[in-house]
Amino acid sequence: KGDYFVSTSALLDSSYKYQTVWLGRKDFDLTLGYRYNSNISFIGGYKSLTMRDGSYTNYEEYHKGVYLGVAGFHLVGDKTFIYGNYWNAPKMSSSGTSQADTLNSFKLSNYELGAGYAISNSTQLTFGYRNQYGSDRNVTQSRSEKFSLSGLIFGMNVNF
């Protein structure tokens, strides 16, 4: 209502190659936002991330936490727009079925830039570039770990 909104998003179960192994990944986000003006919103939410390591049987990591960020868009035509967002989750809880490593201090940040097309007042298609950067502390191996996932992203927004 008014200048506040709620949004959810999910990344379908996907896989990618990281260093020498294949990883599976699922994401779910629940976002609360406040429209600062017609083009900029402040967002905060909850993120749940599941990663499976393809080189170990039944190995899964779970990371959950709160994030804060900003999102914006600009109309470039009657039905076309450009958009961007950034959020940061400074501390996420970690658990899992790893027999090898224990992780803590998991952090994740994300930025996305792209363009979209409004099919109707309630449905938009988007295409963009996303970069996620993560870091953690591998307690078992006494080292800090960092990773970056970047690539093209396609989406569809449906507003109620």
Side-chain angles (χ1 to χ4, degrees), residues 108-153:
L108 193 64
S109 63
N110 179 93
Y111 74 84
E112 184 176 336
L113 302 169
Y117 178 78
I119 296 172
S120 68
N121 286 342
S122 63
T123 307
Q124 305 89 36
L125 298 176
T126 59
F127 172 75
Y129 173 80
R130 176 182 284 179
N131 185 0
Q132 284 189 339
Y133 173 80
S135 65
D136 63 50
R137 179 76 184 151
N138 186 319
V139 177
T140 307
Q141 298 184 24
S142 299
R143 68 177 187 203
S144 294
E145 299 174 328
K146 298 177 183 180
F147 65 90
S148 179
L149 302 171
S150 59
L152 300 177
I153 187 164

Side-chain angles (χ1 to χ4, degrees), residues 16-23 53-56:
Y16 57 93
K17 188 173 183 181
Y18 177 70
Q19 295 179 354
T20 60
V21 297
W22 285 96
L23 296 177
D53 186 338
S55 64
Y56 296 105

